[in-house]
Amino acid sequence: MLKKLLVVATLTGLSGAVFADETPALPFGLSVTGTAALTSDYRFRGVTQTFNDPAVQAGFVLSHASGAYAGVWGSNVDFGGTAHIELDPYIGYATTLDSFANKPLLDVGLWYYAYPSESDLNWLELYGKLTFKDVLVQGASLLTAVNYTNDYAGQNADSWNVNVGYSVPFGATGFGGVAGVGYTAVGEDKYKFNGEDSYVDWKAGVTYSFASVSGLTAELAAIGTNMETDGDYESSSRGVETGAVFTLTKAF
C-alpha cells in the first residue's frame, strides 16, 4: 500500500517553481525559463518519493506573452520497483485578474506524471491556482490551489487535493519564511492511506536568497503528514512522518 502512496506523493505544486526575472529573448513573444535543484528528500504532498534519499531535479518552461505555457519537469524517484525517473510534461495558461483590487494571478493547466520505465503508474491531473501578492506584508504571497484527477496513481480512482501556501520575506536580509498545508482525498474504497481515504500534509521552513548568485536560493523545511505509521506503514514510517528537508535551487 505504501508503494501506491509513494507514486502520487510534489515540490508542492510542481508547476509553481519560481523562475528568474531575466529570460532569453525569443521571437513571437516567447521566453524560456527553468530551474535546477538538489534536495535531501523528494517530498510530494508530504510523502517521500525517494525513500528519504536525495534527488536531483530540473525543469524548463516555454511561455508566450499571451499567458500560455508548456514545460517539462523531472526528478529521480524510488518506489521500490522499476521506476527510477519521473518526467512530467505540462501545459497551462496564466493571467492576472485586473478587475480585482489585489490583481491575483490565475493559473490553470494539465500536469502529466510520467514514469518511463513503469508506465502503468502514469496519471494526468487538472490544476487551478490563485496567487495573491503582498498579503499582510510587502513582498509576501499567498497561493491557493485545487487539483483533480480521475486516475490517481494510475488506479482509475477519483482524487482531490487542495492546498494553501504562504511565503514572506524577512525584510532585506535575504531570509524568508514558507508555510503550507494540503488535504488529499481519494474516492475509491480500494485505495486507502493506512485505512483512511484522506490525509493532511504540511510544510514550514525558512529560505535564503544568495545576493552574490542571481537566482540561487536555499530552503530548510519541516515536511510531514498526519498518516498513522503503524500497520501498513510501520516499516516505512519515515516516508510520511515529519522530517527536515534541505533544498538548493538555481533559477535561470
mmCIF file of all heavy atoms in Angstrom, residues 24-70:
data_model
loop_
_atom_site.group_PDB
_atom_site.id
_atom_site.type_symbol
_atom_site.label_atom_id
_atom_site.label_comp_id
_atom_site.label_asym_id
_atom_site.label_seq_id
_atom_site.Cartn_x
_atom_site.Cartn_y
_atom_site.Cartn_z
ATOM 1 N N PRO A 24 15.899 34.426 -21.673
ATOM 2 C CA PRO A 24 16.425 34.612 -23.025
ATOM 3 C C PRO A 24 15.382 35.219 -23.951
ATOM 4 O O PRO A 24 14.216 34.846 -23.923
ATOM 5 C CB PRO A 24 16.777 33.179 -23.449
ATOM 6 C CG PRO A 24 16.932 32.427 -22.177
ATOM 7 C CD PRO A 24 15.963 33.049 -21.222
ATOM 8 N N ALA A 25 15.797 36.156 -24.791
ATOM 9 C CA ALA A 25 14.884 36.807 -25.732
ATOM 10 C C ALA A 25 14.642 35.891 -26.923
ATOM 11 O O ALA A 25 15.580 35.445 -27.580
ATOM 12 C CB ALA A 25 15.459 38.139 -26.187
ATOM 13 N N LEU A 26 13.389 35.607 -27.201
ATOM 14 C CA LEU A 26 12.998 34.765 -28.326
ATOM 15 C C LEU A 26 11.966 35.511 -29.155
ATOM 16 O O LEU A 26 11.266 36.399 -28.651
ATOM 17 C CB LEU A 26 12.418 33.432 -27.834
ATOM 18 C CG LEU A 26 13.368 32.491 -27.093
ATOM 19 C CD1 LEU A 26 12.606 31.273 -26.601
ATOM 20 C CD2 LEU A 26 14.522 32.069 -27.983
ATOM 21 N N PRO A 27 11.821 35.160 -30.419
ATOM 22 C CA PRO A 27 10.806 35.830 -31.257
ATOM 23 C C PRO A 27 9.397 35.370 -30.913
ATOM 24 O O PRO A 27 9.193 34.428 -30.145
ATOM 25 C CB PRO A 27 11.203 35.384 -32.673
ATOM 26 C CG PRO A 27 11.880 34.072 -32.472
ATOM 27 C CD PRO A 27 12.618 34.190 -31.163
ATOM 28 N N PHE A 28 8.409 36.062 -31.487
ATOM 29 C CA PHE A 28 6.988 35.696 -31.387
ATOM 30 C C PHE A 28 6.458 35.734 -29.958
ATOM 31 O O PHE A 28 5.511 35.024 -29.617
ATOM 32 C CB PHE A 28 6.749 34.302 -31.980
ATOM 33 C CG PHE A 28 7.347 34.105 -33.340
ATOM 34 C CD1 PHE A 28 8.379 33.207 -33.516
ATOM 35 C CD2 PHE A 28 6.885 34.830 -34.434
ATOM 36 C CE1 PHE A 28 8.956 33.020 -34.769
ATOM 37 C CE2 PHE A 28 7.448 34.650 -35.697
ATOM 38 C CZ PHE A 28 8.483 33.740 -35.868
ATOM 39 N N GLY A 29 7.051 36.576 -29.116
ATOM 40 C CA GLY A 29 6.554 36.724 -27.750
ATOM 41 C C GLY A 29 6.864 35.554 -26.846
ATOM 42 O O GLY A 29 6.232 35.395 -25.801
ATOM 43 N N LEU A 30 7.850 34.739 -27.192
ATOM 44 C CA LEU A 30 8.195 33.550 -26.419
ATOM 45 C C LEU A 30 9.359 33.815 -25.470
ATOM 46 O O LEU A 30 10.197 34.673 -25.728
ATOM 47 C CB LEU A 30 8.557 32.398 -27.350
ATOM 48 C CG LEU A 30 7.453 31.901 -28.287
ATOM 49 C CD1 LEU A 30 8.012 30.890 -29.278
ATOM 50 C CD2 LEU A 30 6.317 31.282 -27.482
ATOM 51 N N SER A 31 9.428 33.072 -24.383
ATOM 52 C CA SER A 31 10.551 33.129 -23.457
ATOM 53 C C SER A 31 10.735 31.754 -22.822
ATOM 54 O O SER A 31 9.787 30.976 -22.713
ATOM 55 C CB SER A 31 10.331 34.185 -22.366
ATOM 56 O OG SER A 31 9.180 33.883 -21.601
ATOM 57 N N VAL A 32 11.966 31.460 -22.408
ATOM 58 C CA VAL A 32 12.295 30.183 -21.782
ATOM 59 C C VAL A 32 12.879 30.445 -20.402
ATOM 60 O O VAL A 32 13.770 31.283 -20.248
ATOM 61 C CB VAL A 32 13.296 29.376 -22.624
ATOM 62 C CG1 VAL A 32 13.692 28.085 -21.899
ATOM 63 C CG2 VAL A 32 12.715 29.049 -23.987
ATOM 64 N N THR A 33 12.386 29.730 -19.401
ATOM 65 C CA THR A 33 12.928 29.804 -18.051
ATOM 66 C C THR A 33 13.090 28.383 -17.519
ATOM 67 O O THR A 33 12.590 27.425 -18.108
ATOM 68 C CB THR A 33 12.013 30.607 -17.116
ATOM 69 O OG1 THR A 33 10.681 30.087 -17.194
ATOM 70 C CG2 THR A 33 11.999 32.077 -17.494
ATOM 71 N N GLY A 34 13.766 28.263 -16.393
ATOM 72 C CA GLY A 34 13.960 26.931 -15.844
ATOM 73 C C GLY A 34 14.543 26.947 -14.458
ATOM 74 O O GLY A 34 14.898 28.006 -13.924
ATOM 75 N N THR A 35 14.630 25.774 -13.857
ATOM 76 C CA THR A 35 15.243 25.598 -12.555
ATOM 77 C C THR A 35 16.037 24.301 -12.524
ATOM 78 O O THR A 35 15.732 23.353 -13.267
ATOM 79 C CB THR A 35 14.210 25.543 -11.411
ATOM 80 O OG1 THR A 35 13.310 24.453 -11.648
ATOM 81 C CG2 THR A 35 13.447 26.841 -11.289
ATOM 82 N N ALA A 36 17.041 24.261 -11.667
ATOM 83 C CA ALA A 36 17.755 23.035 -11.347
ATOM 84 C C ALA A 36 17.878 22.987 -9.829
ATOM 85 O O ALA A 36 18.094 24.020 -9.190
ATOM 86 C CB ALA A 36 19.135 23.017 -12.000
ATOM 87 N N ALA A 37 17.700 21.801 -9.248
ATOM 88 C CA ALA A 37 17.664 21.713 -7.793
ATOM 89 C C ALA A 37 18.293 20.423 -7.291
ATOM 90 O O ALA A 37 18.269 19.387 -7.965
ATOM 91 C CB ALA A 37 16.221 21.810 -7.289
ATOM 92 N N LEU A 38 18.846 20.517 -6.088
ATOM 93 C CA LEU A 38 19.298 19.365 -5.305
ATOM 94 C C LEU A 38 18.515 19.376 -4.004
ATOM 95 O O LEU A 38 18.427 20.420 -3.336
ATOM 96 C CB LEU A 38 20.792 19.458 -5.004
ATOM 97 C CG LEU A 38 21.758 19.413 -6.186
ATOM 98 C CD1 LEU A 38 23.185 19.706 -5.707
ATOM 99 C CD2 LEU A 38 21.706 18.059 -6.874
ATOM 100 N N THR A 39 17.914 18.240 -3.636
ATOM 101 C CA THR A 39 17.139 18.173 -2.410
ATOM 102 C C THR A 39 17.492 16.924 -1.627
ATOM 103 O O THR A 39 17.819 15.876 -2.210
ATOM 104 C CB THR A 39 15.629 18.213 -2.702
ATOM 105 O OG1 THR A 39 14.894 18.222 -1.466
ATOM 106 C CG2 THR A 39 15.189 17.028 -3.545
ATOM 107 N N SER A 40 17.454 17.013 -0.321
ATOM 108 C CA SER A 40 17.812 15.877 0.528
ATOM 109 C C SER A 40 16.725 14.807 0.548
ATOM 110 O O SER A 40 16.989 13.663 0.949
ATOM 111 C CB SER A 40 18.092 16.358 1.955
ATOM 112 O OG SER A 40 16.923 16.942 2.529
ATOM 113 N N ASP A 41 15.515 15.147 0.116
ATOM 114 C CA ASP A 41 14.407 14.191 0.087
ATOM 115 C C ASP A 41 13.315 14.763 -0.807
ATOM 116 O O ASP A 41 12.805 15.848 -0.546
ATOM 117 C CB ASP A 41 13.861 13.967 1.498
ATOM 118 C CG ASP A 41 12.787 12.895 1.568
ATOM 119 O OD1 ASP A 41 12.512 12.253 0.531
ATOM 120 O OD2 ASP A 41 12.212 12.697 2.665
ATOM 121 N N TYR A 42 12.958 14.048 -1.867
ATOM 122 C CA TYR A 42 11.877 14.493 -2.754
ATOM 123 C C TYR A 42 10.548 14.160 -2.089
ATOM 124 O O TYR A 42 10.138 13.010 -2.038
ATOM 125 C CB TYR A 42 12.021 13.805 -4.112
ATOM 126 C CG TYR A 42 10.879 14.005 -5.090
ATOM 127 C CD1 TYR A 42 9.926 15.003 -4.933
ATOM 128 C CD2 TYR A 42 10.766 13.167 -6.205
ATOM 129 C CE1 TYR A 42 8.889 15.177 -5.834
ATOM 130 C CE2 TYR A 42 9.748 13.326 -7.126
ATOM 131 C CZ TYR A 42 8.807 14.329 -6.927
ATOM 132 O OH TYR A 42 7.770 14.488 -7.826
ATOM 133 N N ARG A 43 9.889 15.181 -1.573
ATOM 134 C CA ARG A 43 8.585 15.020 -0.925
ATOM 135 C C ARG A 43 7.494 15.573 -1.839
ATOM 136 O O ARG A 43 7.577 16.706 -2.302
ATOM 137 C CB ARG A 43 8.553 15.752 0.408
ATOM 138 C CG ARG A 43 9.463 15.170 1.484
ATOM 139 C CD ARG A 43 8.766 14.064 2.248
ATOM 140 N NE ARG A 43 9.576 13.572 3.355
ATOM 141 C CZ ARG A 43 9.099 13.362 4.588
ATOM 142 N NH1 ARG A 43 7.827 13.616 4.855
ATOM 143 N NH2 ARG A 43 9.886 12.888 5.523
ATOM 144 N N PHE A 44 6.465 14.793 -2.069
ATOM 145 C CA PHE A 44 5.314 15.219 -2.855
ATOM 146 C C PHE A 44 4.084 15.118 -1.986
ATOM 147 O O PHE A 44 3.718 14.036 -1.523
ATOM 148 C CB PHE A 44 5.156 14.338 -4.090
ATOM 149 C CG PHE A 44 3.973 14.691 -4.948
ATOM 150 C CD1 PHE A 44 3.994 15.794 -5.772
ATOM 151 C CD2 PHE A 44 2.830 13.901 -4.947
ATOM 152 C CE1 PHE A 44 2.915 16.124 -6.570
ATOM 153 C CE2 PHE A 44 1.746 14.214 -5.739
ATOM 154 C CZ PHE A 44 1.780 15.325 -6.555
ATOM 155 N N ARG A 45 3.483 16.271 -1.677
ATOM 156 C CA ARG A 45 2.332 16.330 -0.782
ATOM 157 C C ARG A 45 2.616 15.606 0.529
ATOM 158 O O ARG A 45 1.800 14.840 1.044
ATOM 159 C CB ARG A 45 1.082 15.798 -1.483
ATOM 160 C CG ARG A 45 0.690 16.717 -2.651
ATOM 161 C CD ARG A 45 -0.430 16.201 -3.510
ATOM 162 N NE ARG A 45 -0.572 17.108 -4.659
ATOM 163 C CZ ARG A 45 -1.282 16.835 -5.744
ATOM 164 N NH1 ARG A 45 -1.945 15.695 -5.846
ATOM 165 N NH2 ARG A 45 -1.344 17.708 -6.729
ATOM 166 N N GLY A 46 3.813 15.863 1.033
ATOM 167 C CA GLY A 46 4.214 15.366 2.344
ATOM 168 C C GLY A 46 4.859 14.012 2.364
ATOM 169 O O GLY A 46 5.424 13.611 3.385
ATOM 170 N N VAL A 47 4.811 13.258 1.260
ATOM 171 C CA VAL A 47 5.265 11.868 1.246
ATOM 172 C C VAL A 47 6.519 11.729 0.391
ATOM 173 O O VAL A 47 6.583 12.252 -0.727
ATOM 174 C CB VAL A 47 4.154 10.945 0.707
ATOM 175 C CG1 VAL A 47 4.627 9.498 0.680
ATOM 176 C CG2 VAL A 47 2.896 11.084 1.555
ATOM 177 N N THR A 48 7.523 11.010 0.892
ATOM 178 C CA THR A 48 8.768 10.847 0.150
ATOM 179 C C THR A 48 8.550 10.074 -1.138
ATOM 180 O O THR A 48 7.743 9.142 -1.201
ATOM 181 C CB THR A 48 9.830 10.131 1.000
ATOM 182 O OG1 THR A 48 11.058 10.068 0.263
ATOM 183 C CG2 THR A 48 9.401 8.724 1.374
ATOM 184 N N GLN A 49 9.286 10.467 -2.176
ATOM 185 C CA GLN A 49 9.284 9.760 -3.445
ATOM 186 C C GLN A 49 10.598 9.020 -3.682
ATOM 187 O O GLN A 49 10.783 8.396 -4.725
ATOM 188 C CB GLN A 49 9.083 10.760 -4.595
ATOM 189 C CG GLN A 49 7.812 11.572 -4.492
ATOM 190 C CD GLN A 49 6.568 10.727 -4.741
ATOM 191 O OE1 GLN A 49 6.134 10.524 -5.857
ATOM 192 N NE2 GLN A 49 5.999 10.217 -3.667
ATOM 193 N N THR A 50 11.505 9.093 -2.703
ATOM 194 C CA THR A 50 12.847 8.527 -2.873
ATOM 195 C C THR A 50 13.289 7.736 -1.646
ATOM 196 O O THR A 50 14.487 7.576 -1.427
ATOM 197 C CB THR A 50 13.864 9.650 -3.145
ATOM 198 O OG1 THR A 50 13.740 10.656 -2.124
ATOM 199 C CG2 THR A 50 13.647 10.287 -4.510
ATOM 200 N N PHE A 51 12.336 7.256 -0.845
ATOM 201 C CA PHE A 51 12.677 6.565 0.394
ATOM 202 C C PHE A 51 13.618 7.399 1.244
ATOM 203 O O PHE A 51 14.585 6.888 1.814
ATOM 204 C CB PHE A 51 13.269 5.182 0.111
ATOM 205 C CG PHE A 51 12.242 4.162 -0.305
ATOM 206 C CD1 PHE A 51 12.255 3.644 -1.589
ATOM 207 C CD2 PHE A 51 11.258 3.741 0.569
ATOM 208 C CE1 PHE A 51 11.302 2.710 -1.994
ATOM 209 C CE2 PHE A 51 10.303 2.809 0.191
ATOM 210 C CZ PHE A 51 10.323 2.291 -1.092
ATOM 211 N N ASN A 52 13.333 8.701 1.307
ATOM 212 C CA ASN A 52 14.090 9.671 2.108
ATOM 213 C C ASN A 52 15.510 9.903 1.614
ATOM 214 O O ASN A 52 16.324 10.510 2.315
ATOM 215 C CB ASN A 52 14.129 9.270 3.589
ATOM 216 C CG ASN A 52 12.754 9.152 4.203
ATOM 217 O OD1 ASN A 52 12.295 8.058 4.519
ATOM 218 N ND2 ASN A 52 12.084 10.285 4.369
ATOM 219 N N ASP A 53 15.823 9.450 0.399
ATOM 220 C CA ASP A 53 17.135 9.692 -0.187
ATOM 221 C C ASP A 53 17.124 10.988 -1.010
ATOM 222 O O ASP A 53 16.061 11.486 -1.389
ATOM 223 C CB ASP A 53 17.548 8.524 -1.067
ATOM 224 C CG ASP A 53 17.930 7.298 -0.259
ATOM 225 O OD1 ASP A 53 18.354 7.478 0.903
ATOM 226 O OD2 ASP A 53 17.803 6.174 -0.785
ATOM 227 N N PRO A 54 18.298 11.542 -1.351
ATOM 228 C CA PRO A 54 18.376 12.798 -2.119
ATOM 229 C C PRO A 54 17.844 12.647 -3.545
ATOM 230 O O PRO A 54 17.725 11.540 -4.079
ATOM 231 C CB PRO A 54 19.870 13.117 -2.124
ATOM 232 C CG PRO A 54 20.428 12.370 -0.960
ATOM 233 C CD PRO A 54 19.621 11.113 -0.864
ATOM 234 N N ALA A 55 17.568 13.791 -4.153
ATOM 235 C CA ALA A 55 17.084 13.818 -5.535
ATOM 236 C C ALA A 55 17.706 14.991 -6.274
ATOM 237 O O ALA A 55 17.994 16.039 -5.693
ATOM 238 C CB ALA A 55 15.558 13.935 -5.584
ATOM 239 N N VAL A 56 17.919 14.786 -7.572
ATOM 240 C CA VAL A 56 18.353 15.835 -8.491
ATOM 241 C C VAL A 56 17.171 16.146 -9.401
ATOM 242 O O VAL A 56 16.586 15.230 -9.985
ATOM 243 C CB VAL A 56 19.564 15.375 -9.326
ATOM 244 C CG1 VAL A 56 19.968 16.461 -10.313
ATOM 245 C CG2 VAL A 56 20.723 15.007 -8.426
ATOM 246 N N GLN A 57 16.830 17.427 -9.527
ATOM 247 C CA GLN A 57 15.622 17.816 -10.246
ATOM 248 C C GLN A 57 15.906 18.977 -11.184
ATOM 249 O O GLN A 57 16.785 19.796 -10.922
ATOM 250 C CB GLN A 57 14.526 18.211 -9.246
ATOM 251 C CG GLN A 57 14.231 17.122 -8.243
ATOM 252 C CD GLN A 57 13.319 17.554 -7.110
ATOM 253 O OE1 GLN A 57 13.230 18.741 -6.783
ATOM 254 N NE2 GLN A 57 12.653 16.602 -6.497
ATOM 255 N N ALA A 58 15.159 19.036 -12.287
ATOM 256 C CA ALA A 58 15.319 20.139 -13.237
ATOM 257 C C ALA A 58 14.028 20.312 -14.022
ATOM 258 O O ALA A 58 13.263 19.355 -14.217
ATOM 259 C CB ALA A 58 16.476 19.880 -14.191
ATOM 260 N N GLY A 59 13.786 21.538 -14.471
ATOM 261 C CA GLY A 59 12.594 21.812 -15.258
ATOM 262 C C GLY A 59 12.793 22.995 -16.182
ATOM 263 O O GLY A 59 13.613 23.888 -15.905
ATOM 264 N N PHE A 60 12.053 22.975 -17.293
ATOM 265 C CA PHE A 60 12.077 24.062 -18.264
ATOM 266 C C PHE A 60 10.644 24.387 -18.663
ATOM 267 O O PHE A 60 9.790 23.499 -18.733
ATOM 268 C CB PHE A 60 12.872 23.662 -19.517
ATOM 269 C CG PHE A 60 14.302 23.323 -19.251
ATOM 270 C CD1 PHE A 60 14.687 22.025 -18.952
ATOM 271 C CD2 PHE A 60 15.281 24.308 -19.291
ATOM 272 C CE1 PHE A 60 16.009 21.706 -18.701
ATOM 273 C CE2 PHE A 60 16.604 24.006 -19.042
ATOM 274 C CZ PHE A 60 16.969 22.703 -18.741
ATOM 275 N N VAL A 61 10.386 25.650 -18.934
ATOM 276 C CA VAL A 61 9.062 26.059 -19.396
ATOM 277 C C VAL A 61 9.204 27.085 -20.514
ATOM 278 O O VAL A 61 10.019 28.002 -20.427
ATOM 279 C CB VAL A 61 8.203 26.615 -18.242
ATOM 280 C CG1 VAL A 61 8.869 27.801 -17.568
ATOM 281 C CG2 VAL A 61 6.806 26.979 -18.728
ATOM 282 N N LEU A 62 8.432 26.896 -21.557
ATOM 283 C CA LEU A 62 8.342 27.831 -22.673
ATOM 284 C C LEU A 62 7.042 28.612 -22.524
ATOM 285 O O LEU A 62 5.957 28.023 -22.530
ATOM 286 C CB LEU A 62 8.359 27.066 -24.003
ATOM 287 C CG LEU A 62 8.203 27.912 -25.277
ATOM 288 C CD1 LEU A 62 9.417 28.812 -25.474
ATOM 289 C CD2 LEU A 62 8.011 26.997 -26.493
ATOM 290 N N SER A 63 7.162 29.925 -22.381
ATOM 291 C CA SER A 63 5.996 30.781 -22.129
ATOM 292 C C SER A 63 5.766 31.736 -23.289
ATOM 293 O O SER A 63 6.714 32.175 -23.947
ATOM 294 C CB SER A 63 6.199 31.588 -20.841
ATOM 295 O OG SER A 63 6.452 30.749 -19.739
ATOM 296 N N HIS A 64 4.498 32.070 -23.508
ATOM 297 C CA HIS A 64 4.129 33.057 -24.520
ATOM 298 C C HIS A 64 3.573 34.295 -23.826
ATOM 299 O O HIS A 64 3.024 34.216 -22.717
ATOM 300 C CB HIS A 64 3.082 32.482 -25.473
ATOM 301 C CG HIS A 64 2.789 33.362 -26.636
ATOM 302 N ND1 HIS A 64 1.698 34.222 -26.664
ATOM 303 C CD2 HIS A 64 3.436 33.553 -27.815
ATOM 304 C CE1 HIS A 64 1.688 34.882 -27.806
ATOM 305 N NE2 HIS A 64 2.733 34.492 -28.524
ATOM 306 N N ALA A 65 3.716 35.442 -24.468
ATOM 307 C CA ALA A 65 3.246 36.697 -23.891
ATOM 308 C C ALA A 65 1.750 36.679 -23.608
ATOM 309 O O ALA A 65 1.254 37.442 -22.779
ATOM 310 C CB ALA A 65 3.595 37.854 -24.825
ATOM 311 N N SER A 66 1.003 35.807 -24.257
ATOM 312 C CA SER A 66 -0.437 35.695 -24.043
ATOM 313 C C SER A 66 -0.788 35.084 -22.699
ATOM 314 O O SER A 66 -1.926 35.205 -22.228
ATOM 315 C CB SER A 66 -1.058 34.842 -25.151
ATOM 316 O OG SER A 66 -0.578 33.503 -25.078
ATOM 317 N N GLY A 67 0.179 34.395 -22.089
ATOM 318 C CA GLY A 67 -0.065 33.690 -20.833
ATOM 319 C C GLY A 67 -0.031 32.189 -20.969
ATOM 320 O O GLY A 67 0.019 31.469 -19.966
ATOM 321 N N ALA A 68 -0.044 31.677 -22.186
ATOM 322 C CA ALA A 68 0.044 30.236 -22.408
ATOM 323 C C ALA A 68 1.472 29.756 -22.173
ATOM 324 O O ALA A 68 2.436 30.484 -22.435
ATOM 325 C CB ALA A 68 -0.397 29.893 -23.825
ATOM 326 N N TYR A 69 1.618 28.531 -21.682
ATOM 327 C CA TYR A 69 2.946 27.981 -21.442
ATOM 328 C C TYR A 69 2.910 26.452 -21.540
ATOM 329 O O TYR A 69 1.857 25.819 -21.438
ATOM 330 C CB TYR A 69 3.469 28.401 -20.064
ATOM 331 C CG TYR A 69 2.637 27.930 -18.891
ATOM 332 C CD1 TYR A 69 2.840 26.667 -18.322
ATOM 333 C CD2 TYR A 69 1.641 28.739 -18.342
ATOM 334 C CE1 TYR A 69 2.089 26.240 -17.248
ATOM 335 C CE2 TYR A 69 0.881 28.317 -17.276
ATOM 336 C CZ TYR A 69 1.102 27.064 -16.720
ATOM 337 O OH TYR A 69 0.349 26.619 -15.663
ATOM 338 N N ALA A 70 4.081 25.876 -21.752
ATOM 339 C CA ALA A 70 4.258 24.424 -21.769
ATOM 340 C C ALA A 70 5.644 24.117 -21.241
ATOM 341 O O ALA A 70 6.594 24.875 -21.470
ATOM 342 C CB ALA A 70 4.090 23.865 -23.182
#
